[in-house]
Amino acid sequence: MDESRVAGVSEQRATAREALERTSFDLLVIGGGVIGAATAAHAAREGLAVALVDAGDFGSGTSSASSKLIHGGLRYLRLGDVRLVREAHHERRTLAGSVAPHLVHRLPFLLPLYRGGPFRPWFVQSGILLYSTLALSRLNWLVKPARARELVPSLRLDDLRSCALYADAWTNDARLCLENVLAAAEAGATVVNRAEVVSLRLVDGRVAGAEVLVDGEAVPVRARVVVNAAGPWVDAVRRLEDPRAGSSVRLSKGVHVLVPGGEGWSAALTIPQDDVRVTFAVPWYGLLLLGTTDSDYEGDPAAVAPCDADVAQILAEAATALPGSLLPSDAVRASFAGLRVLPLGEGATANARRETVFSVGPAGMLSVAGGKLTTYRKIALDALDRVRGELGLRRLDRRPFPLPGAAGRAAALPVELDPEVGAHLRHLYGTRAGMVLESAADDPSLLERIHSDGPDIAAQALFAVRHEWATTAEDVLRRRTTVALRGLADAGAVERVEALLAPAAQA
């Protein structure tokens, strides 16, 4: 690794380390996934002194490995969880309407009904009607195969009886998480990634902060309240408070793959596999996002990864509604695995309710885990509400606010760009797209693409390290841009980003 790059990053992070050590915080949030980031953002906007730390990169766990859908969760109606579906639809409208309209985009979904499948058309129609009523949507009918084929040109028509049609939304989950981190920082929070909590500080038997390892240095952090939002690591952090603590959640592994396809699609597919499980085929940045699996996971959360059997299962299940010619194993551009955090219970994880698990340890730390990406904002607010008294808040402002990329009016981009690149930047950064291009004013080479087959450009790498806490090429390629998920993070792309990171870190 380039020594100048290390020095630059260390200098940049020294200020954050110092702030962690010198400040008496009202709230320390452990875990920089979307729930932890939103908790920190809302707390900071209340005028509290807030610290947000993550042992890895922001959003590097579940929050960048989801199905990338903002949706009500049609299958949860089948499980009888009408309340969750209603809440999710409300949050979907809020995210798409005011919180992150540049990142959350409405999309029609087709649910194909094949002869011999698990559902009859009348049953699905009644479910879609209820689902769309909860969504305040009028898109709730059955369409004939010919119309469905217009929406999804690749749809397999053999034995297709009809398709249910409804609406949900898609997103870039990693960017949505990151903008919550940005919102926290803009509101005054101290945010530090690659900052691992190694122990908790106790004063008179109560949690009063933590010892955090930042770049090899132990930093004592004082805080009146600690919230554990570590996702799949929630129990590991709980055991720092109580070594005898058992498991409060169980984990489910979900795998997704991306393959070429999706050209001309104006809808996504929800493909029934049995009377509970569905899989998705979603047009996503010019590719098809396919998945997901749902299986118990008991290993190290950091070691979760797709295996050949997972990929084969996803391709086979997608073939229920798509031609095999789209789905050869060698067509897979990228794959990823994430972990759902579920309540304890018996039976298959596919049948588990997506409830949020709150628990308070013997020394007062609040732990929060589970739920859905779609309802992350409500979960964060509910967590803060549980510690409102300890934080001295008489009331909590639950009103939505625009994330940084949604705030203000989009200005004209300062340089002329390929329309594909310009549209891509506006989607990823919203009203901040012009800021990304400022570095290119003196260096036009920064307008060059990181990989010739994708729209992400070199200026994004500089922006990622200067303004978005990226420290490695993986941070840039996997979570700040779309390069890796397009299957374009080859040696050349990595080398180019590494070369850009070194001088950027010193700036």
Side-chain angles (χ1 to χ4, degrees):
M1 183 178 289
D2 191 304
E3 292 299 324
S4 63
R5 173 180 174 278
V6 174
V9 171
S10 297
E11 182 179 348
Q12 198 174 53
R13 289 166 63 84
T15 301
R17 267 205 317 270
E18 183 182 348
L20 284 179
E21 189 165 7
R22 74 166 187 264
T23 307
S24 292
F25 293 101
D26 298 306
L27 175 66
L28 168 64
V29 180
I30 302 171
V34 71
I35 291 174
T39 302
H42 281 277
R45 288 174 62 87
E46 296 284 354
L48 300 174
V50 178
L52 171 67
V53 298
D54 193 286
D57 185 26
F58 296 125
S60 58
T62 302
S63 293
S64 60
S66 74
S67 294
K68 311 190 188 306
L69 298 178
I70 301 296
H71 65 141
L74 182 61
R75 78 184 186 93
Y76 303 121
L77 282 184
R78 182 73 179 86
L79 297 173
D81 205 337
V82 176
R83 177 193 56 81
L84 175 61
V85 175
R86 181 185 291 110
E87 288 177 352
H89 277 312
H90 177 269
E91 289 301 307
R92 176 179 62 80
R93 293 191 298 272
T94 299
L95 295 175
S98 61
V99 173
H102 58 302
L103 284 173
V104 178
H105 299 276
R106 192 172 186 269
L107 181 66
F109 280 70
L110 285 172
L111 191 151
L113 300 170
Y114 291 96
R115 288 181 178 83
F119 300 120
R120 304 280 77 80
W122 67 266
F123 180 82
V124 172
Q125 176 70 359
S126 61
I128 291 293
L129 179 61
L130 174 59
Y131 189 77
S132 298
T133 299
L134 295 172
L136 305 183
S137 170
R138 288 179 288 183
L139 197 62
N140 59 7
W141 55 82
L142 296 178
V143 298
K144 294 182 178 180
R147 172 58 179 149
R149 192 69 176 269
E150 292 175 4
L151 297 171
V152 177
S154 305
L155 182 65
R156 187 174 65 78
L157 297 182
D158 298 346
D159 294 324
L160 181 63
R161 304 171 69 176
S162 62
C163 286
L165 182 64
Y166 66 98
D168 269 320
W170 68 279
T171 192
N172 182 314
D173 52 0
R175 295 292 320 177
L176 186 63
C177 177
L178 186 62
E179 287 207 358
N180 277 274
V181 179
L182 287 162
E186 289 187 0
T190 298
V191 303
V192 188
N193 56 352
R194 295 189 167 79
E196 181 183 3
V197 171
V198 293
S199 64
L200 296 175
R201 298 180 71 243
L202 298 179
V203 176
D204 297 328
R206 302 292 293 176
V207 171
E211 184 173 278
V212 183
L213 198 63
V214 184
D215 301 329
E217 178 182 341
V219 178
V221 179
R222 292 164 292 161
R224 289 194 294 129
V225 175
V226 177
V227 170
N228 167 20
W233 292 270
V234 64
D235 284 333
V237 176
R238 287 178 61 244
R239 292 184 187 108
L240 296 178
E241 179 185 19
D242 178 8
R244 297 170 298 178
S247 297
S248 64
V249 298
R250 58 175 173 160
L251 303 179
S252 166
K253 175 183 174 183
V255 174
H256 296 79
V257 302
L258 292 110
V259 300
E263 297 87 356
W265 287 39
S266 53
L269 291 176
T270 301
I271 308 169
Q273 300 299 329
D274 53 39
D275 61 354
V276 174
R277 284 193 64 244
V278 300
T279 57
F280 296 105
V282 181
W284 198 78
Y285 296 121
L287 296 169
L288 279 180
L289 175 65
L290 306 177
T292 177
T293 61
D294 197 329
S295 58
D296 280 303
Y297 185 83
E298 297 182 354
D300 178 1
V304 67
C307 66
D308 291 344
D310 295 323
V311 173
Q313 177 186 339
I314 290 170
L315 296 178
E317 291 181 344
T320 302
L322 296 173
S325 58
L326 268 181
L327 304 168
S329 58
D330 59 2
V332 174
R333 293 281 187 84
S335 62
F336 60 90
L339 293 172
R340 306 173 190 88
V341 182
L342 303 172
L344 293 174
E346 301 296 327
T349 54
N351 295 314
R353 299 172 75 90
R354 295 301 294 273
E355 294 176 348
T356 308
V357 178
F358 293 98
S359 61
V360 178
M365 180 174 68
L366 173 67
S367 294
V368 52
K372 287 164 50 67
L373 171 66
T374 303
T375 55
Y376 80 83
R377 199 182 65 89
K378 182 182 184 299
I379 296 168
L381 287 165
D382 287 349
L384 281 177
D385 203 43
R386 289 170 180 260
V387 293
R388 182 165 50 88
E390 298 166 71
L391 292 171
L393 294 174
R394 294 183 59 186
R395 59 180 297 274
L396 184 63
D397 187 354
R398 301 182 73 96
R399 292 174 297 179
F401 61 87
L403 293 176
R409 291 191 173 187
L413 298 181
V415 295
E416 188 172 343
L417 292 172
D418 181 300
E420 179 192 18
V421 173
H424 184 65
L425 294 181
R426 286 190 174 95
H427 168 65
L428 290 190
Y429 302 95
T431 57
R432 299 164 66 245
M435 295 173 57
V436 177
L437 298 169
E438 289 175 358
S439 59
D442 298 321
D443 185 358
S445 71
L446 294 175
L447 300 178
E448 296 174 4
R449 301 184 184 216
I450 294 173
H451 190 288
S452 59
D453 292 338
D456 295 287
I457 60 174
Q460 293 172 250
L462 296 191
F463 191 76
V465 71
R466 289 177 177 172
H467 303 286
E468 297 181 337
W469 304 283
T471 62
T472 70
E474 182 186 1
D475 295 350
V476 174
L477 298 170
R478 175 67 176 81
R479 287 175 288 278
R480 277 38 170 211
T481 70
T482 63
V483 176
L485 290 184
R486 294 176 188 273
L488 303 178
D490 57 19
V494 172
E495 183 178 352
R496 174 132 205 229
V497 169
E498 287 283 10
L500 289 164
L501 289 181
Q506 301 175 60

